[in-house]
């Protein structure tokens, strides 16, 4: 809200205006006026202003009680924090808050040359901002009440015709613009089910009236095109229960920059931290502590600003004394210091051992392995453990299974023979540590027999050019482009044209039958295109934001797709796989979910994600090298125990986040601890769940605990959500009980060897929890469990094992 200063007489005659802002001056801060340099083009242009406290290179919140002054009111004046051009020339605008001042340069030009509003860059944004072209109104697939617009104005030609030509042109009155339905309806001057969307006399109303008065010109090929969107400030550090104004600038191809704050569409990523003020465009209410992103959408371009509200109570020396093993720790600690979130201490050897086994190879260490590791007091044992795990055969099992989830290896849509060929190919890549860019290229350009080249099965699963394009984008870019199939993407920068250009790269992929069960030959034809429904013509084949290739070329277009995909200049490819690997070890992706790497879903630590991607590129896409540097970081090796306010942290890695074991890992762990392997139909006894090549294997436990079906390329197929079925199965179900009662299992072996109860307890704790029991745990158990071979000893030991195997300590990685 704005108010007049009590100590200064404010007057537009002297070009001064006072505003109230939410922040008091931080100690030692200076003042900044944004934007620092502005060009106003035409008498109708406007530019809003924001005055910020600054310190240590950071914006620290909006200043309050500000006085604005123009050096020449004959050039530019100020009203309501907005620059208004008067005549061509240059001036300096000064903002004063307390004893501090900040200045900005203003250039005014072309005030004597009235400009005609354009349909593409002026009318369409107004209709989008007023929600006229939203999916709930005239932008719906069928439109509303006989009036249909494209969603958020992606079809300029079609929308211009709908407004000016359909319904016999009755929506416009060129002779008397204010009587046009295009103005009467959204202002609610006549009955309108959508209510008032535009206020009479507002800048938007005047722009539409001027466009109609100019003859309602249509979109032109030489219209300036938007190139990028910018937030000012792009990052701000503030306190909770304050407000912050943001400015959105649109940069166009003709060099002009336009303030589009009023017309942008805003969303907030974390509404517990900051929300958009519905009453004032660009105004953000900061509610709680943490960090949230604010995104702005305008003409299919997106900008992101971050708002940080630090926690309290952590002195700076806490961060200064933290150890840094590598660049990961540097980036994480920088973010934690911005948020004032204290890091948890280092994990114990017991915690690190169990955690690293589960995250890297998907198994528990054996009791003997745990005992040996905990007895080792030499330096560097954690690094040696990491290296040993990366070389274990279980590593191949675990990551083959993980990438099979991603590539949908399943006999539900492939024959068993083809499925095994596909899985075998994936396993070969993991065993050879094939660089990720080479693996991606092999998949995207796969040809030949689906039995001889397992990667070719990718095109058996995705037999439509659009589906091929969408799946490649999800698998290797971590982003969904399917919304752009029908219209410009509402939450991304991808347009309908770009979608069909990408799909056209796969339009010539063909398959034909070959001898053998499930055998097909994948090849590319010399011709063939996919038409864009909007135009009825094919888009030039090109990667999403890469260069188009000649439409008449007979070369395999997928080669161009692969070249762009794995290029070091591609800003998406390395980030996507780096984020997937990070999420595996840290439990939460830097971008979460990992398949949702759109611009409007920014990373929790953008600098860290960029650094991880750069590291991967520098190491030639060696995924194992990336795993190693993550495992070696102090960030990964932190305890999961809460320290101070970091219990509220869910995405900045001040601690390790406990999470339930994946379904397959949990089942294998139960088998390992009890010594009773799971029998899977058509697989030899002893086959672990993590060794199954196929997701289409019957298992109540795996289904109940969230195993993905491998139907959709989406991490959302796997679930870790708790359910009553899980609780009941752990309590009374067959899985644990049958393994505890199985003949020849580990319990029977221990009892047959007349193992002392104390040793049985120790063995159980080491095998299930990778630690020795505490003194109190041992004392209580020794007082409870039978010490002799009486009839009830087996049952008591089974109950003891059940209590461990159904505990959070066992079922969670922590």
């Amino acid at each position: 809200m704005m108010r007049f200063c009590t100590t200064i007489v404010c007057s537009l005659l002297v070009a001064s205006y006072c505003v109230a802002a939410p922040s008091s001056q931080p100690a030692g801060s200076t003042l900044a006026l944004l934007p620092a340099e502005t060009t106003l083009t035409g008498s109708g242009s406007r530019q809003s202003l924001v005055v910020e406290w600054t310190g240590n290179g950071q914006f620290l919140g909006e200043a309050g009680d500000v006085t604005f002054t123009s050096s020449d009111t004959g050039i530019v004046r100020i009203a309501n924090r907005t620059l208004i051009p008067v005549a061509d020339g240059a001036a300096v605008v000064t903002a004063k808050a307390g004893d501090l001042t900040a200045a900005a340069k203003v250039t005014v030009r072309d005030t004597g040359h009235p400009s005609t509003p354009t349909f593409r860059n002026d009318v369409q944004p107004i209709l989008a901002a007023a929600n006229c072209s939203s999916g709930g109104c005239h932008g719906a697939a069928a439109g509303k009440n006989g009036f249909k617009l494209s969603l958020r104005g992606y079809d300029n030609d079609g929308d211009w015709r709908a407004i000016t030509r359909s319904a016999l042109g009755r929506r416009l009155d060129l002779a008397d613009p204010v009587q046009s339905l295009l103005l009467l309806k959204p202002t609610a001057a006549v009955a309108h089910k959508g209510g008032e969307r535009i206020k009479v006399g507002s800048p938007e109303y005047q722009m539409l009236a001027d466009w109609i008065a100019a003859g309602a010109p249509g979109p032109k090929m030489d219209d300036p095109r938007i190139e990028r969107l910018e937030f000012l400030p792009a990052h701000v550090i503030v306190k909770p229960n304050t407000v912050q104004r943001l400015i959105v600038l649109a940069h166009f191809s003709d060099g002009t920059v336009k303030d589009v704050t009023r017309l942008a569409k805003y969303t907030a990523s974390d509404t517990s931290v900051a929300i958009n003020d519905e009453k004032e465009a660009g105004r953000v209410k900061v509610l709680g502590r943490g960090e949230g992103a604010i995104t702005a959408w305008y003409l299919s371009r997106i900008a992101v600003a971050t708002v940080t509200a630090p926690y309290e109570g952590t002195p700076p020396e806490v961060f200064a004394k933290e150890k840094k093993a590598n660049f990961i720790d540097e980036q994480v600690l920088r973010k934690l210091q911005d948020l004032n979130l204290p890091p948890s201490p280092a994990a114990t050897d017991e915690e690190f051992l169990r955690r690293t086994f589960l995250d890297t190879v998907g198994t528990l260490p054996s009791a003997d392995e745990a005992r040996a590791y905990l007895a080792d007091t030499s330096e560097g044992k954690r690094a040696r453990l990491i290296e040993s795990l990366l070389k274990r055969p279980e590593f191949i099992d675990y990551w083959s299974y993980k990438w099979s989830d991603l590539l949908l290896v399943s006999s539900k849509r492939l024959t068993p023979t083809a499925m095994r060929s596909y899985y075998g190919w994936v396993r070969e890549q993991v065993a050879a540590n094939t660089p990720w860019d080479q693996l991606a290229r092999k998949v995207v350009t796969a040809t030949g027999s689906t039995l001889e080249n397992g990667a070719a099965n990718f095109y058996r699963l995705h037999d439509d050019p659009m589906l091929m394009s969408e799946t490649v984008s999800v698998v290797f870019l971590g982003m969904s482009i399917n919304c752009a199939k029908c219209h410009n993407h509402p939450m991304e920068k991808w347009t309908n044209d770009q979608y069909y250009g990408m799909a056209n790269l796969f339009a010539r992929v063909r398959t034909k039958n070959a001898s053998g069960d499930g055998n097909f030959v994948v090849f590319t034809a010399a011709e063939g295109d996919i038409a864009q429904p909007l135009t009825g013509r094919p888009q030039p084949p090109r990667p999403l934001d890469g260069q188009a290739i000649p439409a008449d070329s007979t070369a395999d277009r997928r080669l161009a797709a692969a070249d762009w995909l794995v290029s070091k200049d591609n800003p998406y490819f390395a980030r996507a796989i780096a984020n997937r690997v990070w999420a595996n070890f840290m439990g939460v992706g830097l971008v979460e979910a990992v398949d949702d790497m759109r611009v409007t879903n920014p990373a929790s630590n953008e600098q860290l994600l960029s650094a991880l991607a750069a590291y991967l590129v520098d190491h030639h896409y060696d995924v194992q090298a990336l795993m190693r540097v993550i495992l070696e970081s102090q960030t990964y090796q932190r305890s999961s125990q809460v320290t101070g306010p970091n219990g509220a942290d869910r995405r900045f890695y001040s601690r390790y986040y406990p999470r339930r074991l994946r379904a397959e890992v949990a089942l294998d762990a139960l088998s390992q601890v009890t010594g009773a392997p799971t029998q899977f139909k058509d697989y030899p006894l002893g086959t672990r769940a993590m060794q199954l090549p196929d997701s289409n294997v019957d298992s109540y436990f795996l289904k109940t605990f969230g195993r993905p079906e491998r139907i959709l390329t989406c991490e959302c197929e796997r679930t870790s959500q708790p359910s009553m079925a899980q609780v009941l199965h752990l309590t009374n179900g067959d899985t644990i009980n049958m393994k505890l009662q199985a003949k020849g299992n580990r319990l029977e072996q221990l009892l047959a060897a007349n193992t002392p109860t104390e040793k049985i307890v120790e063995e159980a704790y080491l095998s299930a929890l990778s630690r020795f029991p505490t003194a109190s745990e041992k004392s209580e158990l020794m007082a409870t469990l039978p010490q002799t071979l009486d009839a009830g000893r087996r049952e008591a030991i089974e109950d003891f094992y059940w209590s461990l195997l159904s505990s959070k300590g066992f079922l969670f990685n922590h």
Side-chain angles (χ1 to χ4, degrees):
M1 296 293 293
M2 292 179 289
R3 59 182 171 85
F4 289 100
C5 300
T6 58
T7 58
I8 301 174
V9 177
C10 304
S11 171
L12 292 179
L13 296 177
V14 295
S16 298
Y17 196 81
C18 303
V19 300
S23 303
S24 57
Q25 181 180 357
S29 62
T30 57
L31 207 61
L33 177 57
L34 304 175
E37 191 168 343
T38 302
T39 298
L40 299 174
T41 304
S43 59
S45 61
R46 299 289 186 270
Q47 176 61 60
S48 54
L49 301 171
V50 168
V51 182
E52 286 287 308
W53 301 118
T54 64
N56 297 320
Q58 302 272 20
F59 292 110
L60 304 178
E62 191 176 349
D65 292 338
V66 178
T67 300
F68 292 106
T69 304
S70 171
S71 65
D72 190 340
T73 57
I75 300 297
V76 63
R77 62 187 182 91
I78 308 112
N80 297 342
R81 296 178 294 106
T82 302
L83 298 177
I84 302 173
V86 179
D88 291 2
V92 175
V93 171
T94 303
K96 183 177 182 181
D99 296 330
L100 298 178
T101 61
K105 298 178 181 179
V106 181
T107 301
V108 179
R109 66 186 186 189
D110 297 338
T111 54
H113 301 85
S115 59
T116 300
T118 67
F119 184 80
R120 186 190 307 276
N121 296 327
D122 296 306
V123 175
Q124 288 282 47
I126 292 172
L127 298 178
N131 285 325
C132 301
S133 56
S134 70
C137 196
H138 300 291
K144 285 285 186 181
N145 296 327
F147 182 29
K148 182 181 183 307
L149 297 170
S150 63
L151 185 65
R152 295 198 181 187
Y154 80 94
D155 180 7
N156 289 292
D157 292 325
D159 290 347
W160 179 78
R161 288 192 298 270
I163 293 171
T164 63
R165 299 292 186 267
S166 68
L168 302 176
R170 73 185 186 94
R171 296 186 176 93
L172 299 183
D173 188 336
L174 302 182
D176 190 359
V178 298
Q179 296 303 313
S180 299
L181 286 177
L182 191 66
L183 288 174
L184 295 175
K185 285 274 191 176
T187 58
V190 299
H192 182 226
K193 287 187 176 181
E196 184 185 59
R197 313 306 304 176
I198 298 173
K199 290 189 177 297
V200 175
S202 67
E204 294 77 23
Y205 179 91
Q206 191 60 50
M207 183 72 73
L208 291 176
D210 290 347
W211 173 70
I212 298 170
K220 299 179 177 61
M221 292 300 296
D222 60 352
D223 285 335
R225 304 303 173 96
I226 188 169
E227 293 184 333
R228 65 185 179 93
L229 214 56
E230 177 187 16
F231 258 124
L232 293 177
H235 176 60
V236 63
I237 299 177
V238 294
K239 293 182 178 180
N241 303 314
T242 59
V243 295
Q244 172 68 49
R245 291 183 179 88
L246 303 173
I247 296 172
V248 182
L249 300 178
H251 295 254
F252 289 87
S253 57
D254 63 352
T256 59
V257 180
K258 185 185 299 185
D259 183 351
V260 297
T261 307
R262 288 175 59 94
L263 298 178
K265 303 286 287 184
Y266 300 94
T267 56
S269 67
D270 188 342
T271 55
S272 68
V273 177
I275 60 172
N276 299 292
D277 188 344
E278 298 295 333
K279 296 181 180 179
E280 183 178 339
R283 190 171 185 259
V284 176
K285 297 179 180 179
V286 184
L287 304 179
R289 302 189 186 278
E291 185 170 277
I294 304 296
T295 62
W297 180 98
Y298 176 84
L299 286 179
S300 294
R301 292 294 183 271
I302 292 169
V304 179
T306 53
V307 177
T308 301
Y311 292 83
E312 293 181 330
T314 305
E317 54 267 25
V318 168
F319 304 98
K321 70 180 184 181
E322 281 294 314
K323 294 180 180 179
K324 303 179 186 68
N326 50 42
F327 70 92
I328 292 174
D329 299 324
E330 293 174 357
Q331 297 291 351
V332 170
L333 285 171
R334 185 176 294 121
K335 176 65 72 174
L336 293 180
Q337 190 161 12
D338 283 348
L339 289 160
N340 211 29
L341 269 174
S344 291
T348 63
D349 281 346
E350 294 89 342
E351 291 170 329
F352 178 77
L353 172 68
R354 188 175 190 270
R355 174 192 304 174
T356 310
F357 259 83
L358 290 171
D359 286 340
T360 310
V361 298
T363 67
L364 293 170
S366 67
D368 289 341
E369 287 172 324
R371 188 179 288 108
Y373 182 81
L374 298 178
D376 186 356
T377 58
S378 63
E379 292 187 6
K381 70 175 188 178
R382 291 193 176 188
R384 291 194 297 275
L385 174 64
I386 293 168
E387 289 303 320
S388 69
L389 291 175
L390 294 175
K391 294 179 174 63
R392 287 177 70 120
E394 294 94 336
F395 175 89
I396 300 173
D397 297 334
Y398 180 81
W399 289 93
S400 297
Y401 198 100
K402 188 171 183 67
W403 300 145
S404 293
D405 281 351
L406 187 63
L407 295 170
L408 306 184
V409 179
S410 173
S411 62
K412 284 189 176 181
R413 295 178 58 195
L414 297 171
T415 66
T417 307
M419 177 273 297
R420 289 187 176 276
S421 171
Y422 199 9
Y423 174 78
W425 180 86
V426 172
R427 191 175 178 86
E428 287 173 5
Q429 309 314 305
V430 175
N433 192 29
T434 301
W436 191 253
D437 60 332
Q438 295 182 27
L439 183 148
R441 183 181 291 276
K442 289 178 180 180
V443 170
V444 173
T445 63
T447 57
S449 164
T450 55
L451 300 187
E452 296 174 4
N453 178 14
N457 286 285
F458 178 85
Y459 289 104
R460 284 297 300 156
L461 293 170
H462 311 99
D463 54 0
D464 172 87
M466 292 177 286
L467 186 57
M468 296 173 192
S469 172
E470 292 173 8
T471 305
V472 165
S473 298
V474 173
V475 172
F476 296 115
L477 302 178
M479 61 176 67
S480 171
I481 64 171
N482 58 331
C483 282
K485 180 178 181 179
C486 301
H487 44 72
N488 290 356
H489 202 303
M491 293 182 292
E492 257 288 9
K493 70 175 190 175
W494 310 122
T495 66
N496 189 244
D497 289 347
Q498 287 175 305
Y499 176 92
Y500 282 96
M502 180 77 169
N504 215 11
L505 291 169
F506 299 90
R508 297 178 178 179
V509 178
R510 304 285 189 272
T511 61
K512 61 182 179 182
N513 293 329
S515 60
D517 179 33
N519 193 14
F520 293 83
V521 174
V522 176
F523 65 100
T524 56
E527 58 184 17
D529 290 289
I530 182 171
Q532 180 184 12
L534 184 64
T535 64
R537 300 185 301 273
Q539 279 290 320
R542 68 163 188 158
L544 287 174
D545 56 5
Q547 296 297 315
I549 63 175
D552 57 355
S553 172
T554 59
D556 188 348
R557 293 174 174 177
R558 298 176 304 161
L559 297 175
D563 288 342
W564 170 80
L565 187 70
V566 305
S567 169
K568 293 181 179 181
D569 297 327
N570 185 333
Y572 318 110
F573 178 72
R575 289 165 59 88
I577 182 58
N579 190 52
R580 287 189 189 278
V581 173
W582 177 266
N584 175 83
F585 290 100
M586 301 304 299
V588 179
L590 286 157
V591 176
E592 186 68 23
V594 296
D595 315 295
D596 192 21
M597 296 189 70
R598 51 189 160 83
V599 178
T600 51
N601 185 32
S604 60
N605 190 328
E606 175 57 40
Q607 288 72 28
L608 175 57
L609 181 54
S610 296
L612 290 170
Y615 182 89
L616 189 61
V617 171
D618 291 343
H619 287 75
H620 310 291
Y621 296 98
D622 183 344
V623 176
Q624 278 195 27
L626 180 63
M627 296 176 185
R628 183 180 292 107
V629 77
I630 294 173
L631 290 166
E632 290 174 346
S633 71
Q634 294 295 312
T635 300
Y636 177 77
Q637 296 186 23
R638 286 198 184 102
S639 170
S640 61
Q641 297 300 311
V642 170
T643 299
N646 78 2
D649 173 26
R650 298 290 184 272
R651 58 196 305 259
F652 302 109
Y653 313 104
S654 60
R655 58 191 174 87
Y656 185 87
Y657 306 128
R659 59 192 187 274
R660 203 202 70 202
L661 302 185
R662 293 168 52 165
E664 302 86 349
V665 173
L667 184 56
D668 286 345
L670 290 170
S671 299
Q672 179 179 333
V673 174
T674 60
T678 303
Q679 177 69 68
F680 297 105
K681 184 180 179 181
D682 299 328
Y683 289 90
L685 183 65
T687 301
R688 295 185 298 111
M690 199 54 72
Q691 293 175 319
L692 294 172
D694 189 6
S695 65
N696 190 25
V697 176
D698 184 51
S699 169
Y700 180 80
F701 184 94
L702 295 180
K703 180 180 179 181
T704 301
F705 283 82
R707 175 189 61 183
E709 296 186 48
R710 296 182 183 172
I711 296 173
L712 300 173
T713 306
C714 179
E715 194 71 18
C716 60
E717 271 207 328
R718 179 179 293 279
T719 178
S720 60
Q721 293 298 312
S723 67
M724 185 56 66
Q726 294 170 8
V727 174
L728 293 174
H729 189 67
L730 290 173
T731 305
N732 297 311
D734 290 342
T735 302
I736 294 181
N737 289 328
M738 295 291 286
K739 290 182 181 298
L740 292 174
Q741 297 166 12
K743 290 186 178 180
N745 68 5
R746 183 60 179 154
L747 284 72
E748 186 171 298
Q749 294 170 18
L750 290 169
L751 292 172
N754 200 21
T755 306
T757 300
E758 181 178 1
K759 291 297 182 182
I760 291 177
V761 170
E762 181 179 288
E763 169 83 12
Y765 269 82
L766 285 170
S767 60
L769 305 180
S770 303
R771 66 174 176 87
F772 290 97
T774 64
S776 61
E777 288 170 336
K778 181 184 292 187
S779 174
E780 185 175 348
L781 288 167
M782 291 300 293
T784 303
L785 294 174
Q787 306 296 313
T788 59
L789 293 175
D790 58 36
R793 193 179 187 212
R794 168 72 185 250
E795 185 176 345
I797 296 299
E798 287 180 3
D799 288 346
F800 159 57
Y801 263 83
W802 176 90
S803 68
L804 277 183
L805 298 179
S806 61
S807 70
K808 289 182 180 179
F810 175 79
L811 294 170
F812 280 74
N813 190 2
H814 46 84

